[in-house]
Structures are given as C-alpha cells and as structure tokens.
Amino acid sequence: MILLFIKNLKKILILSDTHGYIDDRIEEYAKNSDEIWHAGDFGSLEVLRKLEKASFFRGVYGNIDNHVLRRSLSEFEIFEVEKLKVLLIHIAGNSKNLSLKVESLIDSHKPNILVCGHSHILKVSYLKSKNILYINPGAAGKNGFHKIRTMIKFEIINKEIENMNIIELGMRSKV
C-alpha cells in the first residue's frame, strides 16, 4: 500500500468585480474553497457578507465601493498563505504597465503573487522582471463590458500553485 501525503493543501478561489451580484454558482464554489480572495468592486455589503460566511475570506475595496465597504476593507492587503506572499489590490495597472503604487509595494514586500481586478479582463501571466505571478480573474458580476463572467480557482500544494482553473459562469447578459 502506498500512502500519499499532501502537506499544506489550500484551495483558493479568486474573484473580482461582482458589482453587487452574487449567484448560487459563486456561493457553491466559495463554500468548496479554503480561502476566497476578492480583488474589489463588491458593489454591495450583501456580496461581502455572503462570501465571508462561505469560507475564510480576504478582500479589498474597489473604486465603485461605497464608504460602508471602505470601512470594512483596505485598499490593499499583503498576506502569506502556505509560504507564498500575496499582494491583493483592486487597481494594479496591466501586466505590462503596473501602477507606481503597485511597483512600490512589490519592491518593498517582494510578493510571489499579485492579484488585482478592475479591468474585467481575465489574465494570468508570469512577470519575469518582477518575479511575480500576475492574476486578474476577470469579472464575476453581471455589470460591465465583459462578455463572459469569470473566476479563478487553484490549489497551493507545498508552496507550489497547482491545478489552476478558469471558471466560466456564463454570459454577462444571460444572468
């Protein structure tokens, strides 16, 4: 008999730009995750509360979030999960042209992963010059210019990112 031990496994769900919308599919993915990271533009306190109930939660406010959400959340978070350091922020610039604030945070804190939202454009890219994995999960809500609602789920196993999946939640206009 062969025993396989997977040490330090974490299932992570990343979403952004819900803009006040959350459905049963999002909640089901959230409940089946160890951690949820939301990169801003919740759009309502209800979305925040539902995600907080579903799993261990981390989130930052976005540019559309009101004063109530801004009191509950920070502009950015820097945290460690399974020995990987993460920078979570709503507006980061794009993968080829990061904002000065994000450049400064990366230089100061040396995160392994940058998670952002705002653009509604799904993108995962390794930025060799910064030695960082850039993740923008697209938009999970139904408001905006995106066509497909998306999130990202992956596992961290022994400090390695494994099994990264793009979750398509359907057409924005069909919800």
Side-chain angles (χ1 to χ4, degrees), residues 4 13 23 47 59 66 78 81 88 96-97 100 127 132 139 141 153 157:
L4 178 63
L13 177 67
D23 61 19
V47 170
N66 65 23
I78 297 169
V81 176
L88 178 64
K96 293 184 180 5
N97 188 24
L100 292 176
L127 308 183
I132 196 168
K153 189 163 189 173
I157 304 172

mmCIF file of all heavy atoms in Angstrom, residues 4 13 23 47 59 66 78 81 88 96-97 100 127 132 139 141 153 157:
data_model
loop_
_atom_site.group_PDB
_atom_site.id
_atom_site.type_symbol
_atom_site.label_atom_id
_atom_site.label_comp_id
_atom_site.label_asym_id
_atom_site.label_seq_id
_atom_site.Cartn_x
_atom_site.Cartn_y
_atom_site.Cartn_z
ATOM 1 N N LEU A 4 0.045 8.454 0.182
ATOM 2 C CA LEU A 4 0.448 9.734 -0.376
ATOM 3 C C LEU A 4 0.014 10.832 0.580
ATOM 4 O O LEU A 4 -1.166 10.962 0.888
ATOM 5 C CB LEU A 4 -0.205 9.945 -1.747
ATOM 6 C CG LEU A 4 0.067 11.249 -2.446
ATOM 7 C CD1 LEU A 4 1.556 11.384 -2.764
ATOM 8 C CD2 LEU A 4 -0.737 11.338 -3.715
ATOM 9 N N LEU A 13 -10.075 30.414 -4.159
ATOM 10 C CA LEU A 13 -10.978 30.969 -5.162
ATOM 11 C C LEU A 13 -10.700 32.467 -5.252
ATOM 12 O O LEU A 13 -10.697 33.160 -4.234
ATOM 13 C CB LEU A 13 -12.436 30.738 -4.764
ATOM 14 C CG LEU A 13 -13.484 31.344 -5.709
ATOM 15 C CD1 LEU A 13 -13.462 30.637 -7.067
ATOM 16 C CD2 LEU A 13 -14.872 31.266 -5.080
ATOM 17 N N ASP A 23 -24.402 34.870 -7.251
ATOM 18 C CA ASP A 23 -25.417 33.852 -7.518
ATOM 19 C C ASP A 23 -25.050 32.545 -6.821
ATOM 20 O O ASP A 23 -24.008 32.445 -6.172
ATOM 21 C CB ASP A 23 -25.642 33.661 -9.024
ATOM 22 C CG ASP A 23 -24.402 33.197 -9.769
ATOM 23 O OD1 ASP A 23 -23.452 32.676 -9.141
ATOM 24 O OD2 ASP A 23 -24.376 33.336 -10.995
ATOM 25 N N VAL A 47 -22.887 41.173 -0.864
ATOM 26 C CA VAL A 47 -21.903 40.292 -1.510
ATOM 27 C C VAL A 47 -20.781 39.972 -0.529
ATOM 28 O O VAL A 47 -20.401 38.806 -0.361
ATOM 29 C CB VAL A 47 -21.335 40.922 -2.800
ATOM 30 C CG1 VAL A 47 -20.144 40.134 -3.329
ATOM 31 C CG2 VAL A 47 -22.423 41.021 -3.868
ATOM 32 N N GLY A 59 -10.293 40.351 1.256
ATOM 33 C CA GLY A 59 -10.773 41.214 0.191
ATOM 34 C C GLY A 59 -10.304 42.647 0.365
ATOM 35 O O GLY A 59 -9.884 43.048 1.449
ATOM 36 N N ASN A 66 -18.662 51.779 -1.821
ATOM 37 C CA ASN A 66 -19.053 52.945 -1.026
ATOM 38 C C ASN A 66 -18.304 53.017 0.312
ATOM 39 O O ASN A 66 -17.488 52.152 0.630
ATOM 40 C CB ASN A 66 -20.573 52.954 -0.818
ATOM 41 C CG ASN A 66 -21.057 51.772 0.010
ATOM 42 O OD1 ASN A 66 -20.319 51.159 0.778
ATOM 43 N ND2 ASN A 66 -22.328 51.448 -0.151
ATOM 44 N N ILE A 78 -1.501 42.619 2.060
ATOM 45 C CA ILE A 78 -0.320 41.794 1.839
ATOM 46 C C ILE A 78 -0.371 40.709 2.902
ATOM 47 O O ILE A 78 -0.464 41.007 4.093
ATOM 48 C CB ILE A 78 0.975 42.619 1.937
ATOM 49 C CG1 ILE A 78 0.982 43.677 0.836
ATOM 50 C CG2 ILE A 78 2.201 41.704 1.846
ATOM 51 C CD1 ILE A 78 2.046 44.719 0.963
ATOM 52 N N VAL A 81 0.244 32.869 2.509
ATOM 53 C CA VAL A 81 -0.507 31.621 2.515
ATOM 54 C C VAL A 81 0.449 30.516 2.087
ATOM 55 O O VAL A 81 1.012 30.580 0.992
ATOM 56 C CB VAL A 81 -1.713 31.679 1.547
ATOM 57 C CG1 VAL A 81 -2.431 30.340 1.497
ATOM 58 C CG2 VAL A 81 -2.676 32.780 1.942
ATOM 59 N N LEU A 88 -2.804 41.766 -2.763
ATOM 60 C CA LEU A 88 -4.175 41.837 -3.264
ATOM 61 C C LEU A 88 -4.573 43.304 -3.333
ATOM 62 O O LEU A 88 -4.516 44.007 -2.322
ATOM 63 C CB LEU A 88 -5.098 41.056 -2.323
ATOM 64 C CG LEU A 88 -6.592 41.016 -2.613
ATOM 65 C CD1 LEU A 88 -6.871 40.311 -3.940
ATOM 66 C CD2 LEU A 88 -7.323 40.311 -1.474
ATOM 67 N N LYS A 96 1.744 44.632 -18.310
ATOM 68 C CA LYS A 96 2.896 45.251 -18.979
ATOM 69 C C LYS A 96 3.223 46.642 -18.426
ATOM 70 O O LYS A 96 4.279 47.183 -18.700
ATOM 71 C CB LYS A 96 2.625 45.342 -20.475
ATOM 72 C CG LYS A 96 2.563 43.984 -21.154
ATOM 73 C CD LYS A 96 2.399 44.157 -22.633
ATOM 74 C CE LYS A 96 2.311 42.942 -23.449
ATOM 75 N NZ LYS A 96 2.274 41.657 -22.964
ATOM 76 N N ASN A 97 2.298 47.219 -17.663
ATOM 77 C CA ASN A 97 2.496 48.572 -17.164
ATOM 78 C C ASN A 97 1.813 48.721 -15.803
ATOM 79 O O ASN A 97 0.708 49.238 -15.712
ATOM 80 C CB ASN A 97 1.942 49.583 -18.177
ATOM 81 C CG ASN A 97 2.286 51.005 -17.815
ATOM 82 O OD1 ASN A 97 3.251 51.269 -17.107
ATOM 83 N ND2 ASN A 97 1.478 51.934 -18.287
ATOM 84 N N LEU A 100 2.499 52.927 -10.319
ATOM 85 C CA LEU A 100 3.643 53.253 -9.460
ATOM 86 C C LEU A 100 3.436 52.719 -8.048
ATOM 87 O O LEU A 100 4.381 52.239 -7.415
ATOM 88 C CB LEU A 100 3.875 54.763 -9.426
ATOM 89 C CG LEU A 100 4.349 55.383 -10.745
ATOM 90 C CD1 LEU A 100 4.450 56.904 -10.610
ATOM 91 C CD2 LEU A 100 5.681 54.791 -11.173
ATOM 92 N N LEU A 127 5.357 37.609 -14.544
ATOM 93 C CA LEU A 127 6.143 38.797 -14.858
ATOM 94 C C LEU A 127 7.587 38.532 -14.434
ATOM 95 O O LEU A 127 7.942 38.678 -13.266
ATOM 96 C CB LEU A 127 5.577 40.013 -14.136
ATOM 97 C CG LEU A 127 4.079 40.284 -14.312
ATOM 98 C CD1 LEU A 127 3.678 41.557 -13.588
ATOM 99 C CD2 LEU A 127 3.704 40.347 -15.777
ATOM 100 N N ILE A 132 7.074 37.619 -10.277
ATOM 101 C CA ILE A 132 5.755 37.581 -9.648
ATOM 102 C C ILE A 132 4.728 37.007 -10.617
ATOM 103 O O ILE A 132 4.812 37.235 -11.825
ATOM 104 C CB ILE A 132 5.351 39.004 -9.171
ATOM 105 C CG1 ILE A 132 4.195 38.959 -8.188
ATOM 106 C CG2 ILE A 132 5.040 39.912 -10.342
ATOM 107 C CD1 ILE A 132 3.962 40.279 -7.474
ATOM 108 N N ALA A 139 -14.177 39.405 -14.377
ATOM 109 C CA ALA A 139 -15.307 39.923 -13.601
ATOM 110 C C ALA A 139 -16.345 38.826 -13.396
ATOM 111 O O ALA A 139 -16.737 38.145 -14.347
ATOM 112 C CB ALA A 139 -15.939 41.113 -14.317
ATOM 113 N N GLY A 141 -19.334 39.506 -11.863
ATOM 114 C CA GLY A 141 -20.650 40.138 -11.826
ATOM 115 C C GLY A 141 -21.276 40.263 -13.198
ATOM 116 O O GLY A 141 -20.706 39.872 -14.211
ATOM 117 N N LYS A 153 -9.797 29.404 -9.838
ATOM 118 C CA LYS A 153 -9.597 28.543 -8.679
ATOM 119 C C LYS A 153 -8.294 27.772 -8.877
ATOM 120 O O LYS A 153 -7.991 27.344 -9.989
ATOM 121 C CB LYS A 153 -10.774 27.577 -8.513
ATOM 122 C CG LYS A 153 -10.712 26.827 -7.197
ATOM 123 C CD LYS A 153 -12.038 26.207 -6.841
ATOM 124 C CE LYS A 153 -11.962 25.661 -5.424
ATOM 125 N NZ LYS A 153 -13.220 25.182 -4.936
ATOM 126 N N ILE A 157 -0.075 23.675 -3.079
ATOM 127 C CA ILE A 157 0.385 22.419 -2.502
ATOM 128 C C ILE A 157 1.883 22.549 -2.255
ATOM 129 O O ILE A 157 2.674 22.684 -3.199
ATOM 130 C CB ILE A 157 0.115 21.220 -3.433
ATOM 131 C CG1 ILE A 157 -1.373 21.153 -3.787
ATOM 132 C CG2 ILE A 157 0.605 19.920 -2.799
ATOM 133 C CD1 ILE A 157 -1.716 20.132 -4.858
#
